[in-house]
Amino acid sequence: YSINLDPIYLQDMDNIIIGSIINIKDITEKVKLENMRTDFVANVSHELKTPLTSISGFVETLKLNENIDIETRNRFLGIIESESDRLKRLIDDILLLSFIEKKETKSIELVNIYEVFMEVYEMTNYFAKSKNINVSYKFSDQNISILSNRDYVKQIFLNLIDNAIKYTPENKDVYVEVYYDKNNLVIKVGDNGIGIPKEDIKRIFERFYRVDKARSREVGGTGLGLAITKHIVKNLDGTINVKSELGQGSEFIITIPKKNFLK
Ligand code: ADP
């Protein structure tokens, strides 16, 4: 709480107090937001610093050792390349998140959900095939369109499908289901992959939160995908939930109120 106490003086008398105005303000939300902002800046700095330190370390090594054999040199260059890619992914995700948060919605158009999904399906197909993962899909209606921004809808599918493939071992399955219930459009993306521990489920939508940092890094994660997805869904007045069982798989369920889409 922030408490302000202002004395009230008798008119024209500086030394006679006849009462006080006490102003009590609940500033919990404000402080919480301030802390979140500080934490975010600290996290961003840390996340950016890690690949940068690695890049400058390997550049330095290459500069200092002229006689390095070609194989080692190529390995170092490979690391520099993948760390630069990681930096780019991080910066892209951070910028996207801040853009969405500001609610500076890009152009709104009628977006056909099935078409956007197919685009993402093609984009992720190579990755799924490389792990022999079968991505199945079921649309109750291929003509469902939503009034939104195409890139945002694409991000929802991309983040969830990419995660499902990333966190599912080889030879398993990923599925996508889209249908209407009474009041909502429902999008389900599920897998029979590694699952999420119960205690982590409520935190996975936080920025940079990862159940297993090393694993996420290994598969090219930034820890921002679900935070971005959650914000986009929120902008559509929707909800996002997860059902997950460790070692069995996960299912992400998005609902978007009907008023936001046209048929
Ligand atoms: P990342 O870039 O690390 O994948 P996300 O924000 O997309 O970041 O996801 C946050 C964390 O949630 C992941 O690091 C992972 O631990 C967990 N996660 C997300 N999707 C799945 C899934 N389908 N199966 C298991 N764990 C998942």
Side-chain angles (χ1 to χ4, degrees):
Y1 291 98
S2 137
I3 302 174
N4 268 318
L5 197 143
D6 287 311
I8 303 164
Y9 297 99
L10 192 63
Q11 209 166 18
D12 301 329
M13 301 273 202
D14 272 358
N15 49 358
I16 303 176
I17 296 174
I18 54 166
S20 299
I21 297 173
I22 303 174
N23 190 336
I24 304 172
K25 243 195 273 174
D26 182 352
I27 53 166
T28 316
E29 265 318 294
K30 190 171 158 247
V31 173
K32 218 160 94 185
L33 282 174
E34 276 166 12
N35 287 344
M36 266 172 67
R37 210 167 297 137
T38 324
D39 286 353
F40 184 59
V41 172
N43 280 334
V44 166
S45 315
H46 175 76
E47 295 288 338
L48 295 178
K49 224 170 147 181
T50 318
L52 265 179
T53 309
S54 168
I55 291 170
S56 56
F58 282 106
V59 169
E60 191 70 20
T61 314
L62 286 171
K63 267 174 74 184
L64 291 175
N65 301 286
E66 276 179 13
N67 301 325
I68 235 163
D69 65 88
I70 187 95
E71 206 176 294
T72 315
R73 188 173 158 274
N74 284 344
R75 191 161 57 80
F76 287 179
L77 286 173
I79 296 172
I80 292 172
E81 190 179 28
S82 71
E83 294 290 312
S84 314
D85 288 346
R86 179 172 173 72
L87 265 184
K88 189 178 172 306
R89 273 199 309 276
L90 271 165
I91 291 167
D92 284 347
D93 276 1
I94 291 164
L95 289 178
L96 180 62
L97 187 60
S98 97
F99 195 85
I100 297 165
E101 272 188 337
K102 274 199 234 146
K103 295 207 169 167
E104 279 178 26
T105 319
K106 296 189 203 165
S107 62
I108 298 282
E109 63 210 294
L110 204 54
V111 185
N112 180 289
I113 303 273
Y114 178 71
E115 273 172 24
V116 175
F117 160 76
M118 279 318 278
E119 222 175 281
V120 173
Y121 179 80
E122 313 264 307
M123 281 167 75
T124 50
N125 199 253
Y126 178 76
F127 181 31
K129 278 222 164 99
S130 72
K131 293 179 78 177
N132 197 28
I133 287 175
N134 175 44
V135 181
S136 61
Y137 56 88
K138 202 163 104 190
F139 277 69
S140 68
D141 180 348
Q142 294 184 358
N143 296 316
I144 303 170
S145 292
I146 181 168
L147 261 183
S148 179
N149 176 269
R150 193 182 170 84
D151 290 344
Y152 286 178
V153 179
K154 197 164 151 186
Q155 276 294 328
I156 295 180
F157 279 117
L158 190 59
N159 289 338
L160 294 184
I161 297 172
D162 186 54
N163 275 352
I165 302 171
K166 268 192 323 203
Y167 300 109
T168 296
E170 289 184 4
N171 309 318
K172 301 247 176 182
D173 300 299
V174 167
Y175 61 86
V176 177
E177 208 181 324
V178 178
Y179 60 90
Y180 290 114
D181 73 5
K182 219 164 100 211
N183 304 312
N184 301 294
L185 171 73
V186 183
I187 300 175
K188 285 184 176 173
V189 178
D191 60 66
N192 50 11
I194 60 171
I196 304 161
K198 267 203 174 58
E199 64 273 20
D200 292 302
I201 287 186
K202 56 183 177 307
R203 301 204 56 192
I204 54 170
F205 295 101
E206 289 173 19
R207 302 142 170 197
F208 296 118
Y209 190 83
R210 284 155 284 190
V211 176
D212 180 342
K213 262 200 164 181
R215 188 169 202 155
S216 158
R217 256 186 89 89
E218 213 175 279
V219 289
T222 61
L224 291 173
L226 287 180
I228 291 172
T229 309
K230 190 181 170 177
H231 267 285
I232 295 176
V233 172
K234 205 171 128 196
N235 283 0
L236 292 168
D237 297 323
T239 63
I240 179 163
N241 287 296
V242 201
K243 283 189 209 152
S244 187
E245 203 65 56
L246 201 57
Q248 305 279 310
S250 313
E251 185 178 69
F252 287 78
I253 306 134
I254 289 177
T255 63
I256 300 168
K258 265 190 181 171
K259 66 177 170 58
N260 276 343
F261 58 89
L262 306 173
K263 214 182 126 183

